[in-house]
Amino acid sequence: MGRKRRLTHVAGHEPPDTLLGKIPVRQLDLHRTHADQVERRVRDFLITCTRNDPGQVVRIITGKGNRSPDGPVLMPLVRDLLATGLTRLVADFAVDRDGGSFLVRLK
């Protein structure tokens, strides 16, 4: 008792590969973008990135929506696009730690 066991890395038991902590190779900032332009901008960005950086992680910045009078607009819109309309380009996505952007792993 009193001695702490040191955890060692065991081959074949790597920690799960998550998007958090990955360094994005590119980013798209949607601040000051109108909702009707979001789909085209995100789609074009992901198509370009998939061609140039397949399998890499990119960031899409939406902001948290704190200054929107009716609450967040871009965050839920981008989430829906990534989950449904752009699945042919997206392998995985997650909200980044800052809460105002998405990390997206490209196919």
Side-chain angles (χ1 to χ4, degrees):
M1 292 207 18
R3 264 178 25 171
K4 293 183 181 180
R5 289 179 62 189
R6 186 175 184 158
L7 298 176
T8 58
H9 177 73
V10 178
H13 291 87
E14 289 80 21
D17 187 23
T18 65
L19 293 173
L20 298 178
K22 297 288 184 183
I23 298 173
V25 294
R26 297 174 192 258
Q27 70 180 22
L28 171 66
D29 190 345
L30 295 174
H31 281 108
R32 297 180 190 85
T33 301
H34 293 284
D36 60 347
Q37 300 171 339
V38 168
E39 182 174 0
R40 180 188 53 78
R41 289 197 62 202
V42 171
R43 183 186 64 243
D44 291 350
F45 174 72
L46 292 179
I47 287 171
T48 301
C49 291
T50 301
R51 282 187 199 139
N52 297 327
D53 303 302
Q56 295 296 317
V57 174
V58 296
R59 175 180 285 124
I60 300 174
I61 301 168
T62 61
K64 297 177 187 177
N66 292 339
R67 295 187 201 132
S68 297
D70 297 326
V73 175
L74 300 181
M75 185 68 117
L77 183 58
V78 171
R79 179 182 292 117
D80 290 345
L81 284 170
L82 296 174
T84 59
L86 298 173
T87 56
R88 65 183 175 89
L89 303 170
V90 176
D92 191 16
F93 71 93
V95 176
D96 201 356
R97 290 183 182 119
D98 65 4
S101 63
F102 289 97
L103 293 175
V104 180
R105 187 185 330 268
L106 305 168
K107 283 189 177 177

